Amino acid sequence: MGFRDEHNFSGGPGALPATVLTQVRQAIEEVPDTGLSLLGLSHRSDWFAALLATAEARLRQLLGLDDAWAVLFLQGGATQQFSMVPMSFLRRTGPAADYIETGYWSAKSLPHASRCGPVRIAYSGRAEGFRALPEAATHGYNSDAAYLHYVSNETVEGLQFHHIPGHATVRRFCDMSSDFLSRPIDLSRFDLIYAHAQKNIGPAGVTVVLLRRDLLAQIPDDLPDFLDYRQHLAAASRLNTPPVFAIFVVERVLHWLQREVGGLTAMQDINARKAATLYAVIDEFPHFYRPHACTVDRSQMNVVLHLPCAEDDEAFLQACAQEGFVGLAGHRSLGGVRASLYNAMGLAATEDLADFMRHYARRRA
Ligand SMILES: Cc1ncc(COP(=O)(O)O)c(C=O)c1O
């Protein structure tokens, strides 16, 4: 991993583990035992069937997924799931789905759902500029909603749920794109989870969907095949040519999580230490580094802040780039600074950034 990769704090696609990048380089030359480049390997080969099976098995082991859950590797990103979810589970004449609007990405999911049926915004943080999440109570959620949809980590604003919202009686669907596999998941509380790969588990091109098999019976029969989870399941995620390269990388990242990191609890501990390192500097200089999110809802994946004015943001980003810290510009909708600490971002590199920020603030604040 080059210096800039190690210090790539991009909001996504995120940095990948150094050992995985080495394996990917080798596989582009030649995948062991095949004599072929990864980029020329057939998705109908036995090799790829085995790769898919291994990737699924690793996911099941990491999460403790039993057979009540189906696992899919799909294309179309998380955005396609914004549509596939309501097309499958929301009816024009049925009860409304509850959507929690906590930031840029959950807001993006709303019009997709409204096209399919009634949507009720159970909570919105819009009026306060998406700085806080709903509190842990169940009031405000509908106990007979078609389902509850939320985004576990708002990538743009840097807000992360540290509780699981909603009623026990309502199906819970979650976009975990930007914190998937960064911590253990209490699967008993979820019915459908989706996450694109390009934050924590691989490159863009593949999206993991986990769904309870008993949901499949609810899917209407008139959906286009490509938007029907059942068709993808019947075809074992090979309804058409899948992104072989991206799935290969995901399988290697899952292997890294199991063997090098030691599982999701270990990953969570490392992520908590990284986030604490950076928030400590921010809290040391609260007038200079101004965090976007309220303290209790801070994300361990995306640390979002502003300096006193836009010129200060710009000067800070330039100084970071000169030191080799890249990818730190805030999302185009919000500006400011965003340090993303996805799984592959190391603790040492995070400490480097924290040290730099401390020195920078001492000189400028
Ligand atoms: C939480 C979340 N959901 C959805 C998306 C959209 O993902 P995609 O580009 O894969 O459609 C993003 C993009 O960064 C995201 O962070």
Side-chain angles (χ1 to χ4, degrees), residues 11 76-80 82 105-106 151 153-156 175-178 194 196 198-199 207 342:
T79 302
Q80 180 160 301
F82 289 168
W105 286 112
S106 52
V151 173
N153 182 74
E154 286 285 3
T155 324
V156 172
D175 173 1
M176 294 195 186
S177 291
S178 55
Y194 59 93
H196 63 202
Q198 65 263 32
K199 304 294 196 281
T207 298
Y342 300 127

Side-chain angles (χ1 to χ4, degrees), residues 282-345:
I282 290 171
D283 290 339
E284 223 178 287
F285 302 96
H287 301 294
F288 191 62
Y289 295 129
R290 302 166 179 195
H292 180 81
C294 71
T295 308
V296 287
D297 299 323
R298 284 176 173 178
S299 167
Q300 303 209 327
M301 296 281 102
N302 310 100
V303 178
V304 176
L305 58 130
H306 283 86
L307 277 73
C309 66
E311 289 72 33
D312 292 336
D313 289 335
E314 198 41 48
F316 173 77
L317 291 171
Q318 277 181 20
C320 285
Q322 274 166 15
E323 292 296 313
F325 300 111
V326 296
L328 281 158
H331 188 263
R332 57 195 145 79
S333 63
L334 201 63
V337 176
R338 171 174 57 174
S340 297
L341 308 176
Y342 300 127
N343 284 354
M345 172 53 61

Side-chain angles (χ1 to χ4, degrees), residues 37-318:
S37 162
L38 171 61
L39 302 179
L41 272 165
S42 167
H43 61 290
R44 297 290 170 204
S45 63
D46 291 345
W47 171 83
F48 184 66
L51 177 78
L52 261 183
T54 309
E56 177 171 338
R58 292 197 190 287
L59 257 181
R60 287 188 180 278
Q61 286 159 10
L62 277 162
L63 286 165
L65 276 176
D66 64 24
D67 206 47
W69 287 83
V71 175
L72 292 170
F73 297 92
L74 302 184
Q75 300 183 65
T79 302
Q80 180 160 301
Q81 296 310 307
F82 289 168
S83 290
M84 272 179 89
V85 164
M87 287 172 94
S88 306
F89 305 114
L90 190 56
R91 301 282 166 274
R92 281 189 199 294
T93 51
D98 266 1
Y99 272 66
I100 308 184
E101 190 190 27
T102 46
Y104 183 90
W105 286 112
S106 52
K108 282 266 184 199
S109 70
L110 289 171
H112 294 255
S114 302
R115 254 173 247 133
C116 301
V119 168
R120 188 177 154 270
I121 299 180
Y123 167 92
S124 177
R126 183 179 287 280
E128 288 78 40
F130 296 130
R131 288 170 189 278
L133 299 175
E135 284 171 19
T138 51
H139 66 254
Y141 304 117
N142 202 340
S143 59
D144 52 13
Y147 58 83
L148 173 77
H149 179 276
Y150 77 105
V151 173
S152 55
N153 182 74
E154 286 285 3
T155 324
V156 172
E157 292 82 2
L159 294 162
Q160 187 177 28
F161 276 90
H162 301 293
H163 68 276
I164 298 174
H167 279 284
T169 52
V170 174
R171 299 272 198 179
R172 197 177 278 109
F173 299 167
C174 191
D175 173 1
M176 294 195 186
S177 291
S178 55
D179 65 357
F180 190 53
L181 305 190
S182 70
R183 56 184 178 178
I185 303 171
D186 179 357
L187 288 164
S188 68
R189 314 277 303 278
F190 293 92
D191 296 277
L192 185 151
I193 291 168
Y194 59 93
H196 63 202
Q198 65 263 32
K199 304 294 196 281
N200 274 328
I201 60 163
V206 63
T207 298
V208 170
V209 178
L210 314 175
L211 77 163
R212 286 189 182 274
R213 291 184 202 276
D214 67 351
L215 275 172
L216 297 169
Q218 291 185 25
I219 297 172
D221 288 327
D222 57 355
L223 293 182
D225 282 0
F226 207 72
L227 300 175
D228 187 334
Y229 293 117
R230 294 170 306 185
Q231 299 289 341
H232 288 284
L233 198 56
S237 296
R238 287 188 289 178
L239 193 56
N240 67 336
T241 315
V244 173
F245 174 81
I247 293 170
F248 175 85
V249 183
V250 168
E251 190 280 326
R252 289 292 81 197
V253 173
L254 298 177
H255 175 266
W256 169 82
L257 265 171
Q258 289 183 301
R259 297 291 159 81
E260 283 187 51
V261 177
L264 298 186
T265 304
M267 192 72 255
Q268 181 179 37
D269 290 346
I270 297 168
N271 285 330
R273 286 165 66 196
K274 290 185 302 190
T277 302
L278 225 47
Y279 285 119
V281 182
I282 290 171
D283 290 339
E284 223 178 287
F285 302 96
H287 301 294
F288 191 62
Y289 295 129
R290 302 166 179 195
H292 180 81
C294 71
T295 308
V296 287
D297 299 323
R298 284 176 173 178
S299 167
Q300 303 209 327
M301 296 281 102
N302 310 100
V303 178
V304 176
L305 58 130
H306 283 86
L307 277 73
C309 66
E311 289 72 33
D312 292 336
D313 289 335
E314 198 41 48
F316 173 77
L317 291 171
Q318 277 181 20

